[in-house]
Amino acid sequence: VMRVTPQPPSPAPSGTPEQSQARVVRYEHGTAQHTVDDAVAVEEPLEIRLGRYDEGRLQHRPVSITMRTPGDDFELAAGFLYTEGILQCRAQVQEIHHCGKGKGLTNTLRVDLSPGVTVDVQRLERNFYTTSSCGVCGKTSIEALATGAVPVAPPPGFAVDARLIGELPARLQAQQHTFRSTGGLHASALFSRAGELLTLREDVGRHNALDKVVGARFLADALPASDTILFLSGRASFELLQKAVMAGIPVVCAVGAPSSLAI
């Protein structure tokens, strides 16, 4: 397939990752056959800023830039700040809002802390740029990877039927509506121990999809997620496992094999 003409994005239904359209020429057996419109997953930068009160005045500073699929931005920001160890509970957040309206302005988002809340400024000073493919490559040192994760404590008697694990990919794919049309999104999903889908988020970035899932639980004041199963549509990387531990998730299943550091 050769893409020749990008088309403007079309509005996405509420809660659905954004899609764009591209005019493509389809080739079969080396010969151009016909031209069609193809769905493409949207990727745009999001700057996350943190607002906190200093001597009675609200000051804000940039924390991170990530390439993401627009949608569920509040959850993404909250989940990112939680899994990075900057936030610990929902009460610390006074408000989350985009910094403007109109084209491009919704790509900057601010998380305002409640009055009296303090954060680890040294951790914030490790500003980093996060790509959609890997969330740790921009961190400035190995020490920056230490987010204060502690061992996960599942509820007494927590167990998962081994047969259920093999069924999770199909249950996830049945709900990945945007992936079916674009083929370009990762997914993270929380299931109950019985296999009921609780939360599903898609994004061009694996870590973004998981941050959105964790952020949804954070904003609902439902962390730790100690009674859930996390399913990942890709491989089980170090950063995704670290985020799962931060969220208190006791079981992680993934399509791809884990790395040594993830283990």
Side-chain angles (χ1 to χ4, degrees), residues 28-258:
E28 296 178 10
H29 307 293
T31 303
Q33 299 294 323
H34 52 274
T35 302
V36 297
D37 287 331
D38 190 26
V40 181
V42 174
E43 181 177 29
E44 293 182 359
L46 177 68
E47 178 179 345
I48 300 174
R49 291 177 168 265
L50 192 66
R52 60 193 184 103
Y53 286 90
D54 185 10
E55 297 181 354
R57 296 181 59 187
L58 184 64
Q59 309 286 341
H60 58 91
R61 60 184 298 170
V63 176
S64 177
I65 297 176
T66 184
M67 301 301 295
R68 98 301 190 192
T69 302
D72 304 309
D73 286 346
F74 291 6
E75 296 175 355
L76 171 57
F80 169 79
L81 293 173
Y82 179 82
T83 58
E84 287 298 319
I86 296 172
L87 296 177
Q88 286 76 46
C89 65
R90 174 65 180 85
Q92 292 177 303
V93 178
Q94 182 181 60
E95 183 182 9
I96 304 177
H97 58 91
H98 287 102
C99 292
K101 297 180 180 180
K103 185 174 178 58
L105 296 178
T106 56
N107 285 340
T108 301
L109 180 148
R110 199 171 83 197
V111 179
D112 291 340
L113 301 179
S114 301
V117 172
T118 59
V119 295
D120 184 348
V121 177
Q122 289 186 340
R123 184 179 297 280
L124 289 178
E125 288 175 351
R126 301 188 187 108
N127 288 349
F128 51 84
Y129 174 87
T130 305
T131 71
S132 62
S133 59
C134 172
V136 300
C137 15
K139 292 189 176 181
T140 56
S141 69
I142 294 298
E143 289 75 17
L145 299 178
T147 56
V150 297
V152 175
F158 185 89
V160 177
D161 189 327
R163 292 172 297 182
L164 173 63
I165 296 175
E167 299 173 1
L168 293 181
R171 297 189 185 194
L172 175 66
Q173 291 172 13
Q175 301 299 322
Q176 285 187 265
H177 306 301
T178 307
F179 176 81
R180 282 202 298 272
S181 59
T182 66
L185 293 176
H186 293 282
S188 291
L190 284 183
F191 290 87
S192 70
R193 71 178 77 181
E196 176 190 2
L197 179 61
L198 304 175
T199 308
L200 166 65
R201 296 292 184 270
E202 297 179 277
D203 198 278
V204 289
R206 293 175 298 159
H207 63 284
N208 287 339
L210 181 50
D211 277 340
K212 289 179 178 181
V213 167
V214 175
R217 299 280 295 204
F218 177 87
L219 294 175
D221 202 15
L223 289 174
S226 56
D227 57 347
T228 64
I229 306 166
L230 173 64
F231 188 82
L232 306 172
S233 65
R235 66 183 180 88
S237 65
F238 160 76
E239 189 195 22
L240 297 184
L241 267 292
Q242 186 185 49
K243 289 177 181 295
V245 170
M246 290 293 289
I249 300 169
V251 177
V252 179
C253 305
V255 172

